[in-house]
Amino acid sequence: MFRTALRNVLAHKARLLMTVLAVMLGVAFVSGTLVFTSTISDAFRTSSQKSFDNVDVAVMPASPDEPGATPAKNRLDGKALDSLARLPGAASVTGTANGFTGISDTDGKLIASGTNSRGSNYFPGKDGKDARYPLKQGKAPTGADQFALDAGTAAKGGYHVGDTVRISADGPVREQKLTGIFTTDDGRVAAGGSLALFDTRTAQKLFGLSGGYSEIDVQAAAGTSQAALQQAIDRALPKDSATTATGKELADTEAKAIEDNMAGMRTALLAFAAVALFVGIFLIANTFTMLVAQRTKELALMRAVGASRRQVTRSVLIEAFLVGAIAGVSGLVAGIGLAALLREVLNGFVAKFPEGPLVVSPSAAVAALGIGTVITVLAAWLPARRGAKVPPVAAMNSVHAVATTKSLLVRNTLGALVAGLGTASVLVATSVYDGDDTSKIMLGGGGMLLLVGVFILTPLLSRPLIALATPVLRAFGTSGLLARQNALRNPRRTATTASALMIGLTLITGMTVIAGGTQQGIDKLAVDALKADYTISMEGYTQLPTTAERKVREVAGVTAVTPLREGMATIGTGAAAQQPTPLTGVDGAQFGSLVRPDISEGSLGTLRGDRILVDQDTATRNGWRAGSRLPVTFQDGKKSTLTVSGVYQGNQMLGGVYLDNRTLAPHQKDISDSKLLVKMAGGATDAHKDDLVEALGKNPAVTVADKKDVSSAIASMFTLLLNMLYGLLAMAVIVAVLGVINTLAMSVFERSQEIGMLRAIGLDRRGIKRMVRLESLVISLFGGVLGIGLGVFMGWAVGQLISAHLPTYELVLPWARMGIFLGLAALVGVLAALWPAFRAARLNMLAAIKAE
């Protein structure tokens, strides 16, 4: 039986090649995902470990003074550095002064993203060099107007030693002379970030450290372990003044964080791989069903000469195993190439990753081979059993090929039950959703059941839906009518072929509907929640320069401004007083003219004195109501009483507890603004935006955003996800194309005699080609219509859950994109029919008529 299976594999090379391709694509996606995430994780891990090569123990401030405070406001003083330098067991001590530093390119834009734009100090050792930052060109900075820049950022900006560069270091724009270009093993720089170095005194001044440090790194002397050095440092420093961590702990923590970050990407990519494999299952099952059907006489002869049903089944499964093994090996090779390509693409368009070799783990190889063989064998199992059950005499007389009415009735009944159960589960989940996970599970499970139910029902659905195309097909004459009859001749095969395309379009359409509704809801939210024309903030979640508010108020046309200042206090009694509550300070007199909160209780009025505005979730959680008088302990330890003037519905734009800055400021050590809300006479215009940018010194790190910019920034992750989805689900569409090609090719093989007869009675080659193309087009459009319909329904259902968190969410049907998707389905049909149509037209009519 093994020799028989091997002979069959070799005898149907062309037919099984497409099956191998379908499995290979799914396997390549899985193995490519594993190789890619392992490669990126290893590169980041190696890079982060290099960053800690010279760090045996890191000493950091105990805790920030305020929420959102940068290391600049929480420092280790110079005495700690001197004390650690004299500590037995310490070979060297390095003081680090860190803070946000944006580097402007020649167009005034930040070279690196805000969170990765950093500045630090060049801390020379006894030899006058800082081992962390080897200089590639020039010299180290020594004056207040000098700095050094990492080589990658210098290359991006086109800067050379001696150039004057505009930078923003935790404040206004400065112009610094570039004195040196250095290399570094810093992982954030390797990932596309920027790093600027100043002399220590300048860095301390820029980052508000007042002669202190944001971190002190200690290297152990020979013979001293990291643990022993850490214990000595803990004894030497005052209690609760600092925290310590060994270099190994820091490296392990960073490696764990990297692994956690990659886990999300790995899960998402593997989900898309599962979709491609799921679609591939239909193609595999379809292929083996037709192969078994074509070999019924051969299988019957094997049964007649003594082969058992088990042996026949085993023969087909061995054939499937061989195909799966070939697909697994080729999929692993393709996956390695896909991982390398994906890294290059993401490096160029999304994010930069550290350099490193491709990492092919044993798990990736085992997964590729295991998935390839297991998926193929499972998909071939049912056709194998069906072929083995064919009675020898019936098969040899070719009377067992047509599915019985009873079998279709059972299938339709089962499909109706599964689809009904899935629909009911989805509807219940959307109607009772209150934020719990149960509804999400019901929705996901119901969606899967609905998809499976529709797949089971597709033979039944194919007749009425394809019948709708009859008037159009009649316009193509005999070829069109024959195409319709061929599509309906074997509804199971038509359904299986169309289902592969249906699944891909269901996901694409559903995500498009969700993304469109979310974008619309966020746009509406920005309009409803903000009266302000502009929101001004700093990149990297840092604080605005203290002069920003004054400069903005001086701009012509500004009618209202409020800074947003972050604070912290314990409010209320009991459980509420156990946890600090974030506060946001505003200009109470102008706040009402800049925001439009959805007040559910009390009123906004004018925030002054002890009056506060509280979001509904916080009020409900703590039992507060409008008029409640609450004891408060501010961060400086002083106590007072606050009165709730109003309760509002929080959202992505507004949330938390608001109070007047004049109430909050006396309790803050350092006053700085996280944002500015600005309203201008005449609304948002390009001229007004230019005026604000000019007033703020054309600071590359300052963002001046109108309502549209704000909503786009919030929705950007949805847009990125959607674009990735389109690209990744193209894999499922490719598999679907292979499925259509395979089905048509085998259909042509089955109908060789019929095609020969058609040629003999006058249908020319052009008519044969047209017939095959129209059949492919009808099947593809059938799958496209089902996929788009299911996608709209699932998009609506998920939108119902989103609307619980985003009240302004609206169902938006992307008619233009749905038209493109339907056109894509038609294109799939046209392209898939090219080779089968050519093959059918090339058949020798006499040889075809004689074919059995």
Side-chain angles (χ1 to χ4, degrees), residues 518-542:
T518 302
Q519 180 67 65
Q520 181 89 353
I522 292 174
D523 289 345
K524 190 173 186 297
L525 181 64
V527 172
D528 290 349
L530 295 178
K531 295 181 184 178
D533 296 313
Y534 295 101
T535 299
I536 300 175
S537 59
M538 282 280 285
E539 291 279 352
Y541 306 105
T542 55

Side-chain angles (χ1 to χ4, degrees), residues 328-352:
V329 173
S330 57
L332 176 61
V333 175
I336 296 172
L338 182 65
L341 177 62
L342 187 59
R343 181 173 65 173
E344 293 304 316
V345 170
L346 293 181
N347 260 335
F349 296 99
V350 179
K352 179 158 180 67

